[in-house]
Amino acid sequence: MNDQSNTPPAARQRILRPRRLALLASAGALGLAVLAAGPSGYLPSGVAALTSAAHAESAPNTAGFADLVAKVKPAVISVRVRIENDGDNDAAFQGSSERMGADRDSPFERFSRQFGFRLPDGEGMPRQHQVITGEGSGFFISPDGYAVTNYHVVDHAKSVQVTADDGTIYTAKVVGSDQKTDLALIKVDGKDDFQYVKFADQPPRIGDWVVAVGNPFGLGGTVTAGIVSARGRDLGAGPYDDYVQIDAPINKGNSGGPAFDVNGNVIGVNTAIYSPSGGSVGIGFDIPAATAKLVIAQLKDNGAVTRGWLGVQVQPVTADIANSLGLKQARGAMVDNPQDGSPAAKAGIDAGDVITAVNGTEVKDSRDLARTISMMAPGTSVKLDVLHKGTSKTMTLTLGAMPNDHQASAAEPQSSKDTADTPQLGLNLAPAGDVEGAGARGVVVTAVDPDGTAAEHGVKTGDVILNVGGKAVSNVGDVRAALRDAKADGKHSVLMQVKTADASRFVAVPFVSAKG
């Protein structure tokens, strides 16, 4: 259930991997003085924020964040990871790099540029054995050493070390991680009196104060402040995007660190920045506390996340679609194709139906539906308001468990040999003849891994792939064979002819070598 974001991909950067650093000029260097106000020291209406230095010096002393910082800072940690390569892990590194849109050269150079990691001796060429290190942030959520950080901080980590606020270094283990929300849970053993913080019970309001604490550029224990700038941001990073936007400066190394409200509760996990320059421009994004709480609880109990599943492919309701269906607003999610045997199909949901609400809460669009269902556990009973063949009705169904299709290259089961030998695009496919309205030629994209290479190059659910590597394809086996042939020829990408609702086009899609 992927919609494309309008945000330019080049400007969306994970905090651990900005493209380049920007020099930051202070207000004084620009000849400006800025009045700073704390939680109880708001500037009165009509008072300019920019004024003379003399006026700034005579301004009354206002409350700051010192008490808040003293309370929460001991719970914030710096996270240092170590990743080793013995010469046979290039595919894993290449997969991580290419999913993030890295340049196509040495996998080690790609990895270091994307993640801000340091290669030994400043070299980028593969060796028999290489060690890569990187740094991020995190925070304890319990006295017995459970801590939260980002998935992209600990991904592929051979070892994890954390440094507490007092400088003590501990060894940590990864309990579980979830790539789709970019969250990970780590654990420090042997101690049960760590200072910790709690997630906020209520979402922040736009305009609320926020304080970020973390490890930017390896400078642990760094504090910055700002406000909540927006909520519900969709960056196009995945189907569950629902970021809190803040303007507290966060940079490379802040990844996984907390953003606090004035009560010392965590309102979000610092994860990404919008940065044309690579440095902070005052637009940062946090995973909301509500999402983090649900994901972290599952990681603690199960080591992985199991999401609720309806079993439908959906698209947004456009103004034209709304008009044709007699809807007053272009809201809701239109069902393209319910999967056979899915909870939706069993409940009687058909192609062309529009899901308008879940448990009485309005569905804004297809991404909103995806986020809502994914935050529910399998087995949960839900009520869906559905426009079914022109009639509004309420359907009750029980959610299934989302299939674990991460980076599957086909919808049907694969043998272990196929999995090991076949490069991956991050697509689920089905013969076009098996999907109503898809025509008789090619294979239909039934699901897209939001972190896969095909998604990065604009392939969407519902597209029909007609040709792969110069060969017509009519089933999943044809696609696998074409990908294996491309790999055997030494290629790192494959040219595909893709038919969309509007036109047919050719697109070169890099593939990721499967892990044998």
Side-chain angles (χ1 to χ4, degrees):
M1 289 184 263
N2 281 341
D3 293 340
Q4 296 299 312
S5 169
N6 291 325
T7 305
R12 296 194 298 268
Q13 309 284 333
R14 291 289 188 200
I15 293 174
L16 277 180
R17 41 190 182 275
R19 290 183 175 176
R20 53 189 177 274
L21 301 180
L23 296 177
L24 303 178
S26 68
L30 298 175
L32 303 175
V34 180
L35 284 178
S40 60
Y42 298 100
L43 291 174
S45 176
V47 175
L50 301 178
T51 185
S52 67
H55 188 181
E57 291 174 359
S58 64
N61 186 26
T62 56
F65 299 102
D67 291 340
L68 168 63
V69 171
K71 174 183 174 182
V72 302
K73 191 165 172 280
V76 182
I77 56 177
S78 299
V79 181
R80 183 179 178 85
V81 301
R82 173 187 174 98
I83 299 172
E84 298 182 7
N85 181 68
D86 295 318
D88 57 356
N89 293 327
D90 285 4
F93 285 102
Q94 184 176 356
S96 293
S97 300
E98 290 184 349
R99 283 196 299 273
M100 300 304 172
D103 296 334
R104 283 10 183 213
D105 40 49
S106 161
F108 293 95
E109 290 178 324
R110 289 196 300 271
F111 198 83
S112 64
R113 281 198 300 272
Q114 289 289 347
F115 289 84
F117 288 5
R118 297 183 295 277
L119 293 174
D121 304 325
E123 299 288 342
M125 299 302 295
R127 297 187 182 88
Q128 273 312 103
H129 183 82
Q130 285 196 331
V131 177
I132 301 174
T133 61
E135 293 178 324
S137 305
F139 54 98
F140 286 117
I141 57 170
S142 67
D144 56 348
Y146 283 100
V148 174
T149 188
N150 277 144
Y151 167 89
H152 75 258
V153 172
V154 297
D155 184 26
H156 293 310
K158 190 77 172 179
S159 64
V160 181
Q161 284 187 335
V162 303
T163 303
D165 189 52
D166 63 3
T168 306
I169 298 176
Y170 302 93
T171 298
K173 63 181 180 181
V174 179
V175 176
S177 59
D178 180 51
Q179 184 175 9
K180 286 181 169 61
T181 54
D182 198 16
L183 288 167
L185 180 67
I186 60 178
K187 176 74 162 63
V188 175
D189 292 323
K191 191 177 176 183
D192 60 5
D193 61 348
F194 287 107
Q195 292 202 45
Y196 65 98
V197 289
K198 297 180 179 180
F199 287 109
D201 293 325
Q202 299 294 328
R205 299 172 303 167
I206 298 174
D208 280 349
W209 287 103
V210 61
V211 174
V213 185
N215 181 36
F217 306 112
L219 302 171
T222 297
V223 180
T224 56
I227 62 170
V228 174
S229 303
R231 287 171 46 192
R233 289 299 198 202
D234 176 8
L235 308 184
Y240 313 122
D241 284 11
D242 186 26
Y243 292 103
V244 176
Q245 181 182 327
I246 65 173
D247 71 351
I250 51 179
N251 288 283
K252 167 185 164 183
N254 274 110
S255 280
F260 296 101
D261 61 21
V262 293
N263 297 314
N265 297 315
V266 178
I267 61 99
V269 181
N270 300 323
T271 297
I273 58 174
Y274 181 99
S275 179
S277 65
S280 174
V281 293
I283 302 179
F285 301 98
D286 286 11
I287 302 165
T291 299
K293 277 196 290 188
L294 290 171
V295 171
I296 294 302
Q298 286 204 49
L299 292 179
K300 184 176 181 180
D301 292 340
N302 308 315
V305 176
T306 304
R307 292 179 166 86
W309 180 62
L310 274 178
V312 293
Q313 301 296 328
V314 293
Q315 68 180 61
V317 176
T318 65
D320 289 339
I321 291 174
N323 183 61
S324 68
L325 295 175
L327 292 172
K328 294 180 179 179
Q329 291 182 305
R331 314 273 288 185
M334 188 173 191
V335 176
D336 288 334
N337 183 40
Q339 299 179 29
D340 291 341
S342 67
K346 291 177 181 178
I349 294 177
D350 294 328
D353 288 354
V354 177
I355 300 173
T356 59
V358 177
N359 291 334
T361 301
E362 183 184 46
V363 172
K364 297 177 182 177
D365 52 32
S366 55
R367 298 184 70 85
D368 187 27
L369 177 64
R371 285 192 295 261
T372 300
I373 297 300
S374 72
M375 291 297 107
M376 297 180 178
T380 301
S381 178
V382 297
K383 290 184 178 180
L384 302 180
D385 291 348
V386 180
L387 182 66
H388 178 74
K389 297 181 179 179
T391 302
S392 297
K393 59 190 301 185
T394 299
M395 298 180 177
T396 301
L397 54 80
T398 300
L399 296 179
M402 182 178 290
N404 183 16
D405 60 356
H406 178 61
Q407 282 199 345
S409 60
E412 61 190 56
Q414 296 176 313
S415 69
S416 58
K417 182 179 187 302
D418 279 341
T419 301
D421 294 344
T422 305
Q424 299 173 355
L425 300 174
L427 297 176
N428 278 13
L429 305 172
D434 293 349
V435 179
E436 183 177 354
R441 297 174 54 218
V443 292
V444 179
V445 177
T446 59
V448 180
D449 178 0
D451 299 305
T453 57
E456 293 177 2
H457 287 73
V459 179
K460 302 177 183 178
T461 299
D463 287 351
V464 179
I465 299 174
L466 302 174
N467 183 297
V468 178
K471 301 174 183 177
V473 294
S474 60
N475 56 53
V476 172
D478 291 343
V479 176
R480 292 178 185 158
L483 291 174
R484 286 195 293 268
D485 289 344
K487 179 183 177 182
D489 290 340
K491 297 178 181 178
H492 299 289
S493 63
V494 63
L495 186 65
M496 302 194 307
Q497 184 182 11
V498 180
K499 182 180 73 172
T500 66
D502 300 321
S504 176
R505 66 190 176 99
F506 284 91
V507 56
V509 179
F511 52 72
V512 179
S513 297
K515 300 175 185 178

